Every structure is written in structure tokens, then in C-alpha cells.
Amino acid sequence: MSTTTQTPAPGTTDEEAFLARLLEFRGLEATSTRYAQDAVNQAMIRHFVEAMGDENPIYVDEQAARDTGREGVVAPPPMLSTWLMVGYKAHMAAAAGAAPDTPMARLLAILAEAGYVGVVATNDEHEYVRELRLGDEIKMTTVIEDISPRKTTGLGTGHFITTLRTYTDQHDEVVARQRFRILRFDPSGAKPAAPAPAAADPALRHKPFILRDNAFWFEAAAQRRLVIQACTDCGTLRHPPGPVCPSCHSFAWHEVEASGRGTVHSYVVSHHPKAPGYDYPLTVVLVDLEEGTRLVADFAGDAGEVEIGLPVQVDWVDYDEHLTLPRFRAATSVSESTEQERN
């Protein structure tokens, strides 16, 4: 893959010249059109709604769908991108082969050459034109809509890339649009890593995005309090935090203090790839809290300790002066530690 460099106009700065080079990709088709491997079908819909716990009958019951005025069963809107996904084997085959020479690949190569090698998704906006019906054959085109000027963020300095994905059916009619935005940033600006550290520096970890809807949760964590968002109208607990109750659709909510006790529902031990700021092997647990919600967090202890059903207790770690997050350790370890502190 090769890239070209244009001569900047007189009086332009290096930053302006670089941005002008990036903006040459605006309006280009990012990749080739992607076609769904299968038509919209009942089997995949059934798997999806069972996994998500969505009991709306219009997705699985022909008569129930017709009773609402629809022609028949429809697919859940959140399934939109799943129709275009390829399997593990196809991913591995693509990874083993040469990267295709597409406008998006060339754009990312230019950014990588300039040091913008970090990537994080920041926005994903969907517009649904019509519901998908059984038998629909979907394809997707992706256009590079915009590239931002250089921005300084909490992760580092970089450029936001916005793509517009247009989904059409077998008649070339638009069924949905998806505006997807990523940040390509220079991770070296956050904090240089010390050579061969004995333990990873937590300050090097990527910081979470704190938004209006979840700020209360991080503020409580800073006080070493584990809280859960609760619907004021129906009492349903929910995590992660969100603006609306999934049960009764109320916007009224309050926080409930959690005990910090629970059991391991599932876990994963990660060995690779090794990201800065983490000790490996990295054990991440999905905890069933006593209150009835689940929480993903690091496990503070030996990976060999973890098993499904293990009783755990919240523990806390300060990543820097502005960020404290919960982690979990075996409940017996916490009891012993607390007893030692008292003595």
C-alpha cells in the first residue's frame, strides 16, 4: 500500500497541510459494498431475541405481527448490523491475507504514519427507515463522510473519522442508515511508560467516557461507594446506567447503594494483546450482585482463584487522583484483610 504527499499551499502550516491531505478522502466510498450472506430469516431472529431477552411477539409470531398492522414477522431494529457480519473463519482468512487497498485503508495508513495508531469508537447513530421483513436481502455501502481537525482528548491527540453506512434491500431501497465515528489518536501523549516496570502503571489505562447519564456512578465510585441506578416509578434496577427505564420507560430515577457482595457469573483470563497499564494475565469477572444486577470489573487476585459461583466482595483501586473504580476479590480474602486491619 502506498501513499502520496501533496505540496502544501504557500502560507499553510504543517497541521493545515496534513488535514487537507486527510480531507481528500471525504466523500469516497470507504470499502466495497458488503452483502449479507443470508436473507433475513426467522432462525437468526429467534436466536437474537432469546439472547437479548426480548419477548415482543412481533419478532416470532406471524399472527401477533399481523394484529399490529404489519404484513408479518419483522426483525428487531438492533439486529441491523448482524445481517452483514461474517463468521470467525472469514475473519481469520481476512487476517491472514493482505489488507485490501481501499480508501479507508489508505486513510488509516496515513494516520498511522503520523503516529495516530490508537483507536476508539465514539458515536454510533442509527436511523431506521423501515423494519426488515423475512426474505429481505440486505447490502451496505460505506462512505467517508468527514474527518475532523486535530483534537486533544483525554486519550490523546487525534482525528475523528465519521463514516455513513447506508443499508438497502433487494430493490435498492434504503432501509436504514448508520453514522459511525471513531477517534484515531496518538497514545504516546498520555504518559510514557517506564522501561520494564515490575508492575503495570494503572495511570496508563484508557479512561472511561464519563457522560451526563453515568457521571453519578463515577462520582460515587470516587467516594468508594458502589451504586446502582433504580427506576423511581417501578423500582427496576439497571446497569449500565441509562436515561430511561427499560421496563416502564420512565425517565425518573435514583441511586441505590449496593452491598458490594456477589458471585462470579462468568469470567475471562486475557493473555494477549498486552495493553499498557494492565498486569497480565488479566482476569475480568462478570459479577451477579446481591441486588440483582451484573457488573463487569477486574479481579484482584490470582487467576487460579476464579471459578463460576465464587463469592466475591468489592475492592477499590485508584487509577489516578481523578479516577477510582471497583474491582472484586474473593470474599474470604476481603474478610481476612479486614480482620488484619482491625488487629
Side-chain angles (χ1 to χ4, degrees):
M1 183 182 302
S2 62
T3 57
T4 59
T5 303
Q6 294 189 352
T7 303
T12 59
T13 64
D14 290 343
E15 182 176 337
E16 291 171 335
F18 185 72
L19 178 60
R21 186 182 180 195
L22 299 181
L23 290 177
E24 292 176 3
F25 291 88
R26 189 165 55 185
L28 298 182
E29 192 165 328
T31 59
S32 58
T33 300
R34 180 181 292 187
Y35 294 83
Q37 298 181 92
D38 300 286
V40 175
N41 62 83
Q42 185 66 83
M44 288 181 65
I45 293 173
R46 193 179 303 281
H47 289 315
F48 182 88
V49 296
E50 288 181 356
M52 299 301 294
D54 191 335
E55 299 180 357
N56 191 330
I58 66 172
Y59 303 140
V60 294
D61 187 316
E62 182 81 12
Q63 188 56 53
R66 290 183 181 277
D67 288 345
T68 63
R70 293 171 169 82
E71 297 178 7
V73 165
V74 295
M79 279 194 76
L80 177 63
S81 62
T82 65
W83 301 110
L84 281 300
M85 290 180 178
V86 297
Y88 178 74
K89 185 176 180 180
H91 273 298
M92 294 303 292
D101 184 17
T102 63
M104 178 59 81
R106 294 194 292 274
L107 171 61
L108 297 181
I110 292 172
L111 288 163
E113 288 176 5
Y116 302 113
V117 294
V119 59
V120 63
T122 63
N123 298 73
D124 190 6
E125 305 167 4
H126 288 215
E127 175 193 354
Y128 302 107
V129 178
R130 76 160 175 86
E131 294 173 311
L132 299 183
R133 298 183 286 265
L134 299 183
D136 278 338
E137 298 175 358
I138 308 303
K139 58 183 177 293
M140 177 189 75
T141 57
T142 304
V143 172
I144 301 171
E145 189 175 56
D146 200 12
I147 302 101
S148 78
R150 189 171 65 183
K151 304 285 187 180
T152 299
T153 75
L155 295 174
T157 299
H159 294 266
F160 289 91
I161 303 173
T162 304
T163 55
L164 178 62
R165 301 173 180 177
T166 302
Y167 297 79
T168 54
D169 63 11
Q170 61 274 22
H171 306 298
D172 292 327
E173 296 179 355
V174 176
V175 296
R177 298 181 182 88
Q178 178 185 11
R179 185 166 278 102
F180 189 69
R181 186 174 294 114
I182 63 172
L183 169 65
R184 289 299 294 248
F185 62 96
D186 179 1
S188 65
K191 185 176 180 179
D201 182 356
L204 295 178
R205 293 190 179 199
H206 289 168
K207 302 300 186 292
F209 285 100
I210 301 178
L211 310 171
R212 182 176 59 182
D213 292 328
N214 63 14
F216 78 95
W217 192 89
F218 289 99
E219 290 167 3
Q223 302 167 12
R224 298 185 172 236
R225 293 188 302 114
L226 184 62
V227 298
I228 306 170
Q229 191 176 40
C231 176
T232 300
D233 290 334
C234 73
T236 299
L237 300 178
R238 62 182 186 264
H239 189 83
V244 63
C245 175
S247 297
C248 72
H249 304 142
S250 169
F251 286 89
W253 62 269
H254 61 279
E255 64 181 52
V256 172
E257 190 125 4
S259 68
R261 294 184 295 271
T263 57
V264 174
H265 179 85
S266 184
Y267 68 94
V268 62
V269 181
S270 176
H271 297 269
H272 187 81
K274 291 180 170 58
Y278 297 85
D279 290 312
Y280 289 85
L282 174 64
T283 306
V284 179
V285 289
L286 175 61
V287 175
D288 286 320
L289 296 177
E290 283 185 340
E291 291 73 19
T293 57
R294 290 175 179 163
L295 180 66
V296 176
D298 290 353
F299 181 74
D302 189 88
E305 280 187 89
V306 185
E307 60 182 10
I308 293 174
L310 175 72
V312 290
Q313 171 72 45
V314 72
D315 190 22
W316 299 93
V317 59
D318 297 317
Y319 290 104
D320 58 37
E321 59 180 330
H322 303 295
L323 182 64
T324 298
L325 290 178
R327 59 182 178 180
F328 287 86
R329 63 171 70 245
T332 52
S333 299
V334 172
S335 300
E336 292 169 1
S337 176
T338 302
E339 189 63 31
Q340 290 174 2
E341 290 178 3
R342 290 174 180 171
N343 294 334

